[in-house]
Amino acid sequence: MSEEPAREDVGVGPHPGPWPSDPRYDRDLLASGDRRNVVDRYRYWRVEAIAADLAARARPVHVAVENLQHDFNIGSIVRTANAFGAGGVHIVGRRRWNRRGAMRTEAYLAVHHHEDVAALAGWARGVELPIVGVDNLPGAVDLRDVALPAAVVLLLGQEGPGLSAAARETVDAVAAIPQVGSTRSINAGAAAAIALWEWVRRHDPR
């Protein structure tokens, strides 16, 4: 059943019938309408069915973010990862994070927790995924030129300080997003979207 508050200005109303017999459909949603923030393909589907379908079609790119100070961008990063069909989101550090920006997309996407960067690195080694940091650090390679593997973990640092010292020592490479304005950095949510788009541009140009 839907876990999102109903809004009459989005989604669809009750299914006009006859109701589909496919077990992926949620009978409560068929009866009352589906006002969730989902694409038409998933209208009236159960949350578990949507998550299973996304997992089956997930791209081999994961997004990790350090959560050392309750980063408010994590919700946005989860929502962005869902939109790009990422294989999962990995939160490093504190377990608590602000889910408001995720818009319930965490229900459809695998969200993993790692106590520290070493734990994330251990997981990545176990599944043979390199880790590319995303931060405008001295010596970082322009995102447009960096070696970006087809299967990879993109690691973003905490809003403000960026990648921690432990993360800098762990990653296989660091990619910088080129900027020409006065600000030193962009927020982690925006950086995740740009990095994911660059991955898609190279490896899944559809």
Side-chain angles (χ1 to χ4, degrees):
M1 185 173 179
S2 171
E3 299 178 35
E4 298 174 10
R7 286 181 51 191
E8 295 301 322
D9 58 335
V10 297
V12 292
H15 194 286
W19 283 6
S21 58
D22 191 317
R24 293 176 295 187
Y25 287 89
D26 185 308
R27 296 184 67 83
D28 289 333
L29 292 174
L30 290 169
S32 61
D34 188 353
R35 306 296 180 182
R36 299 173 300 176
N37 179 27
V38 297
V39 297
D40 290 343
R41 168 187 173 86
Y42 294 130
R43 286 295 174 207
Y44 304 114
W45 281 32
R46 295 182 296 107
V47 169
E48 297 80 6
I50 296 174
D53 190 68
L54 288 173
R57 299 185 297 109
R59 290 163 162 161
V61 56
H62 292 245
V63 181
V65 58
E66 293 188 284
N67 185 32
L68 308 179
Q69 303 169 353
H70 297 304
D71 193 332
F72 65 90
N73 289 287
I74 292 178
S76 175
I77 291 171
V78 171
R79 185 178 181 183
T80 297
N82 172 280
F84 282 100
V89 172
H90 302 258
I91 299 173
V92 180
R94 298 177 183 240
R95 286 185 175 275
R96 292 185 60 189
W97 56 280
N98 188 341
R99 287 166 167 74
R100 183 178 181 86
M103 297 290 288
R104 290 297 302 152
T105 52
E106 75 274 15
Y108 311 115
L109 178 71
V111 178
H112 310 275
H113 177 259
H114 304 275
E115 291 294 333
D116 50 31
V117 172
L120 171 68
W123 173 86
R125 284 193 301 270
V127 293
E128 299 183 341
L129 288 178
I131 302 176
V132 173
V134 180
D135 200 351
N136 288 4
L137 295 171
V141 180
D142 190 310
L143 177 62
R144 296 167 294 182
D145 302 321
V146 74
L148 199 57
V152 68
V153 178
L154 301 172
L155 174 59
L156 296 108
Q158 178 76 39
E159 179 73 15
L163 291 172
S164 67
R168 298 179 194 187
E169 295 173 0
T170 299
V171 296
D172 298 285
V174 179
I177 297 172
Q179 300 170 205
V180 297
S182 63
T183 183
R184 186 188 68 81
S185 64
I186 57 177
N187 72 60
I194 292 169
L196 280 168
W197 176 251
E198 177 63 14
W199 184 93
V200 169
R201 187 187 68 81
R202 295 195 201 183
H203 299 296
D204 194 356
R206 293 173 297 171

